Amino acid sequence: MTEPTSLSAAAVAVLSAADPIEKVRLSRATAALWRSGELSGIGNALPPSRPQRPERPPLMAPRDVPKRKINQGTKGRVALLHALAHIELNAIDLAWDIIARFTGEDLPKAFYDGWVKVGDEEAKHFDLLAQRLSELEAAYGDLPAHDGLWQAAEETAHDLLARLAIVPMVLEARGLDVTPGMIAKLSAVGDAQSAAILQIIYDEEIGHVACGKHWFDYLCKRQQRVPQKAWRELVQRHFRGALKPPFNEPARSAAGIPADFYLALELDRNPESLNRP
Ligand SMILES: [Fe+2]
Ligand SMILES: [Fe+2]
């Protein structure tokens, strides 16, 4: 890669790469340069409003994306792995976007260390899924994919606290809720390799949610806001749709989000959930 002059310039290069293989390569290479200290300045390069995407897969409304049923043979598993690869590709961009978009916020180096690690791991996750797809004689790009994943980034582009409230603390936390069920189903149909990949992703995603919560708390303290109240207000303002139980309480609390944080919010929206067993 041409030597980036700053971390934000390197982040913009990741966001501007359309080819997923190149995006993964830049993400991992930038993380290595940052870890080694060869790259150390943050700079103030501006990220594009939307990251570059490859021509394939075609993007379409979620309702038009074929449903993935793990028990429908290889085809069903390919559809699931493809959908997850698409989410990881977006996650790579979300990590580098948070790095480049908020450089004016006077954040400590540890903030960048955390999100660089997330960007590195998201690239690894995409890579693992893409390799598994090729073992199943498929590839990322073969199937249509969801076009709404950048919406949360646009909705929160003006406000770091809102970004943290929604992307890691709602969307990635939701991943913690649903992944164990997918792992169990993949194991039940005998696909131990895919299950092992999802286990790696799951374990590392706890760290991503934890990174989000850590910096959310840090900013709340700086802004003299009460974290639970601030999160509730931001989710109500910026997240369309409800938080969906059941929640993976052990994983969420391992990431530093206690149950009362999100149960109160769910109750605001679904008072009938009180009656649920
Ligand atoms: Fe991931
Ligand atoms: Fe993640």
Side-chain angles (χ1 to χ4, degrees):
M1 86 200 255
T2 27
E3 285 301 303
T5 49
S6 66
L7 183 66
S8 57
V12 171
V14 177
L15 290 158
S16 306
D19 174 17
I21 294 170
E22 181 65 359
K23 196 182 283 291
V24 165
R25 191 185 72 74
L26 287 172
S27 184
R28 305 219 69 181
T30 302
L33 286 174
W34 180 256
R35 271 196 306 270
S36 72
E38 276 173 79
L39 180 64
S40 58
I42 307 299
N44 56 2
L46 290 174
S49 59
R50 287 181 75 98
Q52 289 293 318
R53 285 277 173 268
E55 269 171 43
R56 300 177 66 220
L59 302 179
M60 45 183 68
R63 65 177 177 278
D64 299 328
V65 176
K67 290 282 169 284
R68 53 230 196 198
K69 283 261 181 345
I70 292 173
N71 57 6
Q72 284 173 346
T74 310
K75 222 174 155 191
R77 284 181 289 127
V78 163
L80 172 76
L81 297 169
H82 192 280
L84 295 176
H86 184 63
I87 290 169
E88 296 293 350
L89 190 70
N90 272 272
I92 299 171
D93 286 325
L94 285 167
W96 295 105
D97 189 85
I98 203 173
I99 287 169
R101 190 163 300 279
F102 302 102
T103 55
E105 298 273 348
D106 188 26
L107 295 155
K109 180 176 174 291
F111 174 87
Y112 296 99
D113 291 343
W115 295 109
V116 166
K117 183 167 188 279
V118 172
D120 194 23
E121 290 175 350
E122 306 297 19
K124 175 176 140 191
H125 299 168
F126 176 85
D127 215 20
L128 287 167
L129 292 164
Q131 281 175 36
R132 184 66 191 135
L133 281 170
S134 81
E135 288 167 9
L136 297 171
E137 289 168 8
Y140 178 68
D142 284 356
L143 298 171
H146 190 315
D147 75 350
L149 297 186
W150 200 249
Q151 198 190 331
E154 286 174 338
E155 173 70 27
T156 60
H158 64 292
D159 180 355
L160 176 56
L161 197 64
R163 173 67 60 89
L164 292 165
I166 305 302
V167 173
M169 293 175 68
V170 172
L171 302 178
E172 293 194 282
R174 169 86 184 139
L176 301 182
D177 299 337
V178 297
T179 308
M182 294 179 197
I183 295 172
K185 282 185 192 158
L186 287 165
S187 302
V189 298
D191 189 346
Q193 294 98 313
S194 298
I197 290 168
L198 264 66
Q199 187 66 48
I200 294 170
I201 293 175
Y202 174 75
D203 292 342
E204 292 183 345
E205 290 298 334
I206 292 175
H208 302 183
V209 178
C211 186
K213 176 63 161 51
H214 174 83
W215 292 107
F216 184 82
D217 287 349
Y218 172 93
L219 284 176
C220 280
K221 197 169 176 201
R222 202 161 82 172
Q223 297 175 12
Q224 297 179 303
R225 296 178 73 173
V226 178
Q228 187 171 347
K229 189 166 173 283
W231 185 69
R232 207 160 152 168
E233 287 166 6
L234 290 164
V235 173
Q236 282 168 340
R237 195 173 323 144
H238 297 291
F239 183 69
R240 285 178 271 275
L243 303 187
K244 287 187 201 134
F247 301 108
N248 182 344
E249 293 194 18
R252 284 168 171 260
S253 73
I257 306 182
D260 62 340
F261 224 82
Y262 48 89
L263 291 180
L265 183 60
E266 202 236 330
L267 216 54
D268 285 351
R269 299 203 181 199
N270 302 313
E272 75 278 14
S273 69
L274 247 192
N275 305 325
R276 218 172 276 153

